[in-house]
Amino acid sequence: MTVPAATQRNVAEADADVIVVGAGPAGSTTAFHLAQAGLDVLLLEKTTFPREKVCGDGLTPRAVKQLLAMGIDIDAPGWIRNKGLRVVGGGLRFELDWPELSSYPDFGLVRTRQDFDQILAENAVKAGVRLLQGVTVTAPILDDRSGHIVGVVAKKDDEEVSYRSRLVVAADGNSTRVSLAMGLHKRQDRPMGVAVRTYFTSPRHDDDYLETWLELWDGDTLLPGYGWIFGVGDGTSNVGLGLLNTSDAFKSMDYRDLLRRWVKGMPAEWGYVEENMTTPIRGAALPMAFNRQPHYTRGLVLVGDAGGMINPFNGEGIAYAMETGHIAAETIVQALGRVTAAQRERVLRAYPQTLKDVYGGYFTLGRGFVELIGHRGVMNFATRHALPHPRLMRFALKLLANLTDRRGDASDRIINALSKVAPPA
């Protein structure tokens, strides 16, 4: 449902320069950078903090870089550093340190989403953002003449309220009600994943490495996906798995049961048994590789999961949520600094191409990777023959985690060249 502007009553001419819908990593990062630039920002969150979010809780150096750029104190209690990735598969188990690069830190972090999003939202508030919690956006307000979004209708305390702005940012995740109301639907030619996870009390809670298992078996079938064990540092481990829709069993799979069966094969001393489970098994969709486009239309800017910005190689979403939020904020600041509506629109319409320039080729490579491992036997062959070669696996870590320098070593140059020549997603 969209609401024409003319039907609204008791609405201020402008409640903010920009309304950001959703206070997850994408929304809070966007709002922070907008406020830093001096814009009046209203951040609307449908839940109230603290709140849980289904996630692996692992942060790669890409995400760490964004946290540092926003001045987040990652030395405060609750942030757990890790050295890299431990890979398990093909009967092998070995550790890969995060690469030493000039562009990114050489460490990752773990922080549960129970308070991670709240930390980012509070950081945005410190920058001058006005955060309203318990506000569920239900529809856009459209200008009668241009069809541009000029605000939103929402529910707060069971009452309908309206807010106006010069621009609206959709940071409301995979379901993104705002984008759907503006006619932006998912592309069916883009991969989709699903992740399920829970927490167990475990002696492995303070592991120095993020651990990923490259073999997920359903009977005799090797599935396209991976499992993970991330130590949270609070006495628990985040244990979960992610699967891609390239599997024939994707729609009919009982993912929660698969997770239960997977952990049953682990050593008893790790403690991954039902009685040590501290939360129910919960799941979430993973929208990948720009599965909703365009990323700007008629006054609406898409960031993070709302625009399908998850990396198809590894299912990482937080880093790209924050990065696209930063890019969107820079674009919006430049646009709103222009004098005429035509000039502002020209800048905003360049935003989708900016995203394609940054991620398009790489996401296309990721889509090819997803299709490839969906074929029966390919995942098994790759696991058996690639894992025994450390140099190849170090290359794979850089590729899958998208961690390269512009002018780095040979592996960096190969990955960058492949991303550049691949058609944009």
Side-chain angles (χ1 to χ4, degrees):
M1 178 182 70
T2 57
V3 181
T7 67
Q8 296 301 302
R9 297 180 179 179
N10 301 321
V11 181
E13 281 300 312
D15 294 286
D17 292 319
V18 182
I19 290 173
V20 179
V21 181
S28 291
T29 301
T30 307
F32 170 84
H33 289 292
L34 290 172
Q36 284 282 88
L39 293 179
D40 183 15
V41 185
L42 186 59
L43 180 59
L44 305 178
E45 168 58 34
K46 67 180 179 180
T47 64
T48 57
F49 293 115
R51 56 110 165 94
E52 189 177 24
K53 202 76 174 282
V54 176
C55 185
D57 301 332
L59 304 169
T60 71
R62 289 191 76 97
V64 176
K65 179 178 181 177
Q66 292 300 315
L67 294 173
L68 294 173
M70 291 188 288
I72 301 293
D73 182 9
I74 60 173
D75 293 319
W79 296 96
I80 306 302
R81 295 196 181 204
N82 56 74
K83 300 176 181 178
L85 194 67
R86 181 182 300 111
V87 180
V88 180
L92 300 173
R93 181 185 182 90
F94 59 91
E95 294 168 348
L96 296 167
D97 288 351
W98 296 118
E100 293 185 5
L101 303 168
S102 62
S103 302
Y104 300 98
D106 64 352
F107 64 93
L109 294 166
V110 173
R111 183 94 192 200
T112 70
R113 295 293 294 276
Q114 182 72 23
D115 65 355
F116 176 81
D117 291 15
Q118 182 175 358
I119 290 170
L120 295 191
E122 290 174 350
N123 192 59
V125 170
K126 290 178 184 177
V129 173
R130 288 178 290 135
L131 170 65
L132 297 182
Q133 302 180 55
V135 178
T136 301
V137 172
T138 58
I141 301 173
L142 303 181
D143 180 81
D144 290 331
R145 290 175 295 180
S146 68
H148 276 54
I149 184 170
V150 292
V152 296
V153 179
K155 284 202 171 176
K156 180 175 175 58
D157 300 327
D158 293 325
E159 293 185 4
E160 186 174 276
V161 292
S162 301
Y163 307 97
R164 283 185 179 262
S165 62
R166 301 170 69 186
L167 282 172
V168 174
V169 175
D172 46 347
N174 175 59
S175 58
T176 185
R177 182 177 294 185
V178 176
S179 302
L180 288 172
M182 294 287 286
L184 300 179
H185 299 279
K186 294 177 183 177
R187 294 184 55 157
Q188 298 305 312
D189 62 343
R190 296 293 187 265
M192 176 67 74
V194 64
V196 293
R197 68 95 177 96
T198 187
Y199 295 89
F200 294 94
T201 55
S202 171
R204 300 195 61 198
H205 71 97
D206 57 354
D207 199 335
D208 285 338
Y209 287 83
L210 301 178
E211 184 166 294
T212 182
W213 292 48
L214 300 185
E215 292 178 303
L216 284 178
W217 293 91
D218 183 25
D220 296 330
T221 303
L222 183 61
L223 301 172
Y226 65 95
W228 71 77
I229 300 173
F230 298 163
V232 180
D234 62 354
T236 67
S237 297
N238 181 315
V239 182
L241 54 85
L243 287 173
L244 297 161
N245 63 354
T246 50
S247 168
D248 293 335
F250 182 79
K251 292 183 179 179
S252 59
M253 177 71 66
D254 185 338
Y255 305 105
R256 290 168 176 81
D257 180 63
L258 180 63
L259 178 57
R260 289 189 181 96
R261 286 186 281 127
W262 178 53
V263 299
K264 280 183 179 179
M266 295 181 182
E269 60 267 24
W270 292 0
Y272 301 143
V273 293
E274 199 84 19
E275 52 266 34
N276 289 342
M277 193 182 295
T278 63
T279 67
I281 299 175
R282 294 189 170 94
L286 304 176
M288 299 175 172
F290 294 162
N291 82 328
R292 185 175 278 107
Q293 297 183 38
H295 294 117
Y296 170 75
T297 182
R298 295 182 294 144
L300 181 70
V301 178
L302 273 59
V303 295
D305 286 8
M309 316 260 188
I310 290 179
N311 181 348
F313 276 110
N314 65 359
E316 181 181 12
I318 292 178
Y320 299 90
M322 292 191 290
E323 287 178 3
T324 56
H326 196 174
I327 294 170
E330 290 179 338
T331 302
I332 292 169
V333 169
Q334 290 301 315
L336 295 186
R338 300 299 194 267
V339 176
T340 68
Q343 291 172 335
R344 291 192 290 272
E345 193 70 8
R346 189 177 301 115
V347 174
L348 291 165
R349 286 181 178 176
Y351 172 66
Q353 186 58 50
T354 299
L355 293 183
K356 288 185 177 183
D357 290 344
V358 176
Y359 305 111
Y362 177 77
F363 279 179
T364 297
L365 293 177
R367 287 164 54 202
F369 171 79
V370 166
E371 289 296 325
L372 187 63
I373 66 173
H375 294 292
R376 187 179 298 272
V378 171
M379 191 68 175
N380 191 19
F381 178 87
T383 301
R384 299 293 176 184
H385 295 279
L387 286 175
H389 300 282
R391 182 176 295 181
L392 181 58
M393 290 307 298
R394 284 193 291 270
F395 174 85
L397 176 64
K398 282 190 171 185
L399 174 63
L400 271 60
N402 199 9
L403 293 172
T404 61
D405 278 331
R406 182 171 295 182
R407 292 181 178 87
D409 61 17
S411 62
D412 293 355
R413 293 193 292 273
I414 292 171
I415 295 169
N416 294 338
L418 289 172
S419 299
K420 187 174 182 179
V421 301

